[in-house]
Amino acid sequence: MNEHMVDVFTEINIRSPRKEVAEYASNPDRAPEWYVNIKSVEWKSPKPLTLGSQIAFKAQFLGKELAYIYEVVEFIPNQKFVMRTADGPFPMETTYTWESIETNVTKMKLRNRGNPTGFSKLFTPFMGLMMKKANKKDLEKLKIILEKN
């Protein structure tokens, strides 16, 4: 891996069935509800979500407005969801996985890997820490939303 890559891994246990967690988390329209930094979502391809779907996201991160299009590169409902972007200031791959660890308890893992080309190289180590902090907040918000239902 190149030294300017970031690779951030976060996980959380949510008291909700795997199917519910996976369906909610993998629905791009829900992203602004639980992702602190995502401000808007626009489908670039027809719904429903499938391999090859393209979704445009607008986000705010570290004072910068980021706009990028993710493409779904792997989708196994209720198990794994992978999106990748090659455009924009931050080529990134985002992976969600879900695993039932008890009846009605789901472990969700979130991994972001990418190369923050739109930011200074000196910023890369800091970038990983900030992403991990943001991802942790996002998963905690997701947990609160899903455990209320």
Side-chain angles (χ1 to χ4, degrees):
M1 182 165 54
N2 128 9
E3 79 243 34
H4 302 299
M5 290 281 287
V6 290
D7 191 350
V8 178
F9 178 83
T10 324
E11 63 182 32
I12 199 164
N13 291 341
I14 299 172
R15 274 190 328 275
S16 189
R18 181 170 69 176
K19 184 178 188 310
E20 284 178 30
V21 176
E23 284 177 359
Y24 187 95
S26 65
N27 179 347
D29 292 323
R30 297 279 194 189
E33 295 170 17
W34 64 279
Y35 267 103
V36 177
N37 297 318
I38 293 179
K39 303 305 174 202
S40 69
V41 174
E42 181 191 342
W43 288 75
K44 295 295 185 184
S45 54
K47 293 179 184 182
L49 189 73
T50 184
L51 214 54
S53 287
Q54 293 194 334
I55 301 108
F57 291 92
K58 281 205 171 100
Q60 190 80 32
F61 186 64
L62 300 177
K64 279 193 173 205
E65 173 122 345
L66 305 176
Y68 47 91
I69 297 174
Y70 263 120
E71 181 171 339
V72 177
V73 294
E74 189 176 349
F75 185 43
I76 305 165
N78 307 324
Q79 285 180 34
K80 189 174 186 182
F81 178 57
V82 184
M83 297 183 295
R84 190 176 296 144
T85 180
D87 69 334
F90 205 149
M92 177 69 66
E93 180 179 274
T94 299
T95 303
Y96 303 158
T97 56
W98 303 279
E99 164 192 353
S100 298
I101 55 171
E102 286 176 36
T103 310
N104 295 332
V105 178
T106 304
K107 179 184 294 283
M108 178 170 167
K109 296 178 183 177
L110 168 59
R111 182 179 187 191
N112 280 316
R113 292 187 315 159
N115 194 354
T117 54
F119 293 84
S120 158
K121 300 282 186 240
L122 298 171
F123 213 49
T124 305
F126 176 68
M127 181 71 89
L129 291 172
M130 293 306 291
M131 284 173 60
K132 184 157 184 82
K133 190 175 170 187
N135 287 356
K136 206 168 161 14
K137 263 191 197 161
D138 296 335
L139 287 179
E140 285 166 0
K141 191 166 181 187
L142 181 66
K143 176 181 172 79
I144 289 165
I145 291 168
L146 290 169
E147 289 184 354
K148 275 184 186 169
N149 297 342

